[in-house]
Amino acid sequence: MTSGNYMNQQNKKKVLVLFFTQTGQLKSLLDSVLQPFHSEADIELDIVELKPKITFPFPWSKKEFFDVFPETYLEVPVELEIPNIDLTKKYDLIILGWQPWYLSVSLPIISFLKTDMAKSLFDGVPVIPVSACRNMWVMGFEKLRNQLTNLNATVKGNIALVDPNPNLISVLTIVGWMIHGKKENYKSWLPAAGVSASDIAASSAYGNIIKEDLLSEKLELTNQKLIDAGSVKIKPALMMLEMRGNKLFGFWATYIRGKANKLNNASTRRSRLKGFSYYLPVGIFILSPIVSFFTKILVFINKKRVNKLANYYLGIRK
């Protein structure tokens, strides 16, 4: 390698993309966001998929779907395959593809963020999380941001694409996808599950914003630019619903795991999980519409406070 080539290599911006996916939807979104990076000679791009040692199923069985809940909410790590990452390389940006599970961070992602490798990798590095989910991501994002702060990383923006359909419709379609493996045509009268193909395709615009700010060393401007471009939107009623649901999930997760988060015997766990499996659909289809109605009244009455909360979750922590 000539000295000139070596200097060019040294001056390149180094970007690491970390992600976990089951359905492939998040990978499609990342491919779109990263599209502008591939033609940029001044960016060196490393893409790494995180993989649990014991693979999570897809489609899920109902038993497996509920069984993962308490450990997800309480952030009990699972073992991962060791990712092929060069820890001697100092990255200028990490793009983190993640997904919310049970109003929390998916187990493979939070498990990696609790490793010694993550401590070394994220220390002092700007991070932009990217997610594609049903519609409730705010509580998970806040937990993710807190974990990144613990790693001395700085969140510089957020891309959170959601299913465009109404809340209860998206519940039905996600069940069809996650449990029955049918993204489309789960029921003839239901739309396709997940983020729309057009929203995913349009996300290359977010990649252009990130690329330009990275190369000009102006990532402190990225969050507002992404928000202005539509990368993330908060629906106040859903946000308030998430906040209430998060507290209830905390009770159930602790109850299922037992005192001091110690595992109970298998039969006790099964019976408690069964109770949660009955509670969740009742909460979604019966209680959530009622709560949503009163939440909308609260939003109307106390709009200033609700908007302040929304801006808090949209904002960047210094």
Side-chain angles (χ1 to χ4, degrees), residues 149-215:
T149 299
N150 291 339
L151 295 173
N152 194 35
T154 54
V155 176
K156 295 296 186 181
N158 184 24
I159 298 171
L161 299 196
V162 300
D163 187 321
N165 293 295
N167 186 37
L168 295 184
I169 294 294
S170 68
V171 171
L172 295 173
T173 58
I174 205 69
V175 167
W177 196 9
M178 296 295 104
I179 305 298
H180 301 283
K182 294 182 178 180
K183 179 176 171 60
E184 297 94 6
N185 301 319
Y186 171 51
K187 301 290 183 183
S188 60
W189 49 275
L190 286 173
V195 178
S196 72
S198 59
D199 283 348
I200 288 175
S203 296
S204 60
Y206 309 139
N208 271 315
I209 291 170
I210 297 168
K211 181 190 77 171
E212 290 170 7
D213 285 352
L214 174 65
L215 292 174

